[in-house]
Amino acid sequence: MTGPAAPQSVSDSAEAEKHPIDVRGLVSCFGDNVIHDGLDLQVERGEVLGVVGGSGTGKSVLLNTIIGLKVPDGGTVRLFGGDMRTASRRRWSSVERRWGVLFQQGALFSNLTVRENVAAPLHEHTRLPRREVEEIADLKIAMVGLPARAATLKPAELSGGMRKRAGLARALAMDPELLFLDEPTAGLDPIAAEAFDALIKDLSDSLDLTVFMITHDLDSLYAITDRVAVLADKKVVAVAPVRELERSEHPWIKQYFLGPRGRAAGAAEDRARAD
C-alpha cells in the first residue's frame, strides 16, 4: 500500500507551480515496440502548448500516460509536483479534479443529453445537489458558445462542431487548471476550426488554463500556441515558439513548418497580425 506523500519543500512547491506537468526520461512500449525512449517535457503554467509529430511518434500515448490511462514503462510523470506512478488512489482522485480532457471524437455518452454529459464529472467528484449540478452544467454549456437548447439534445442530434463544444464543456465542468485537447479541430471546416481556436484562446486567457494540445492543424499552432513540442526519434526533439521552430535544422521540423502548408499558415498569421 502506498504511504502518505512526503511534504513538499518550498523549492519543490515552486517548481510544481511553474511546471504543472513534468515528464522525465519517459519510456513507453507496446511489446517490443518502443514508442518513447527517454522523453523529457516540462509544461509551463498558463501556456498553450501544442504537441506535434509524425504518425507513430506517440502523441496520444504521451497524453494517455500523463493522465494515467497507460502506465509508464520507465521514467516519471509528475503532475502538480507529485510522482503519479507512486500516487495513492486518493492522490489520483485529487489530481483528476484539476484537469479536463477533450478527446478527439468528443467521447460523449450517446444515451445522455448534453446537460447530463457535462454534469457527469460533477456527479462523480462532488456531492452537490442535483439542481446545483444542472445549473453549473448549463453555465458551462453557455461558456463554450452552445445555445441553451443544446442542453437537452443527444450527441447524435449535434453537428460535429457542436459535439466538440459539448465535449469541451464537460472538460471544463470541474473548473480545471489543466486542459488536455486531442486534435480539437479535426473534422471541422475552416470557419468552425477558426472559431474553436478563438474559443480555446479566450478560455485559456480568462480562466488561466494550462493547455496541452495535440494537433496537426498548422493554423492552430500559429494562432494560439505559446510553444510547440515536437516528437521525433522517440523523444521531444524541440520545444519552442512556432516561429523559432521555422529556423530548426531538424529534417522533420523543416519539412513540417516550411512545406507549402506551413508557409501558408505562417503567412495567414502574419496577415492576421497586420490587420
Side-chain angles (χ1 to χ4, degrees):
M1 179 178 293
T2 304
Q8 287 186 320
S9 68
V10 173
S11 60
D12 287 343
S13 297
E15 181 64 18
E17 179 71 16
K18 183 178 180 182
H19 297 116
I21 301 174
D22 189 356
V23 180
R24 301 291 181 94
L26 179 66
V27 178
S28 304
C29 304
F30 290 97
D32 295 331
N33 186 20
V34 179
I35 307 299
H36 304 135
D37 189 6
L39 182 151
D40 296 327
L41 178 64
Q42 288 184 313
V43 181
E44 297 179 1
R45 178 174 174 80
E47 75 172 333
V48 177
L49 179 80
V51 179
V52 302
S55 178
T57 54
K59 300 179 293 297
S60 292
V61 174
L62 175 59
L63 187 156
N64 289 339
T65 303
I66 292 172
I67 65 175
L69 297 181
K70 185 185 186 312
V71 177
D73 295 289
T76 60
V77 175
R78 300 180 71 85
L79 296 177
F80 304 107
D83 185 347
M84 303 313 296
R85 186 171 54 178
T86 58
S88 66
R89 185 171 300 177
R90 177 178 294 183
R91 168 68 176 167
W92 262 110
S93 179
S94 174
V95 172
E96 281 181 326
R97 297 182 184 198
R98 300 175 69 179
W99 77 53
V101 186
L102 172 60
F103 291 103
Q104 183 171 349
Q105 303 302 326
L108 297 170
F109 298 111
S110 60
N111 61 327
L112 300 182
T113 66
V114 169
R115 179 185 290 123
E116 290 166 341
N117 267 283
V118 176
L122 293 160
H123 287 307
E124 179 181 358
H125 292 292
T126 76
R127 296 185 178 180
L128 293 172
R130 178 173 294 275
R131 183 182 182 86
E132 189 170 344
V133 166
E134 291 179 350
E135 289 175 353
I136 293 172
D138 287 344
L139 176 64
K140 302 301 180 180
I141 290 168
M143 183 184 294
V144 300
L146 285 173
R149 64 177 177 81
T152 59
L153 300 179
K154 298 286 184 68
E157 299 174 283
L158 304 175
S159 68
M162 292 177 73
R163 281 195 296 273
K164 294 274 190 181
R165 289 175 183 258
L168 180 59
R170 187 176 64 182
L172 295 171
M174 294 292 296
D175 295 327
E177 299 166 57
L178 277 174
L179 180 61
F180 295 95
L181 307 174
D182 189 3
E183 299 286 1
T185 59
L188 299 183
D189 64 69
I191 295 174
E194 183 178 6
F196 202 86
D197 282 342
L199 174 62
I200 294 299
K201 183 61 175 173
D202 288 346
L203 290 172
S204 173
D205 291 342
S206 62
L207 302 177
D208 193 26
L209 293 170
T210 301
V211 180
F212 178 103
M213 178 178 69
I214 296 172
T215 185
H216 285 104
D217 191 331
L218 281 155
D219 291 327
S220 297
L221 294 174
Y222 277 92
I224 67 171
T225 61
D226 296 297
R227 296 191 301 159
V228 176
V230 181
L231 273 61
D233 311 322
K234 302 180 182 179
K235 294 178 172 66
V236 172
V237 296
V239 186
V242 66
R243 292 299 188 179
E244 291 184 20
L245 291 176
E246 292 177 343
R247 301 192 293 271
S248 173
E249 292 300 316
H250 189 281
W252 189 87
I253 297 176
K254 288 180 68 174
Q255 183 179 11
Y256 189 74
F257 287 101
L258 297 181
R261 291 188 177 184
R263 291 197 302 272
E269 178 62 14
D270 288 341
R271 289 193 297 271
R273 291 182 183 276
D275 292 341

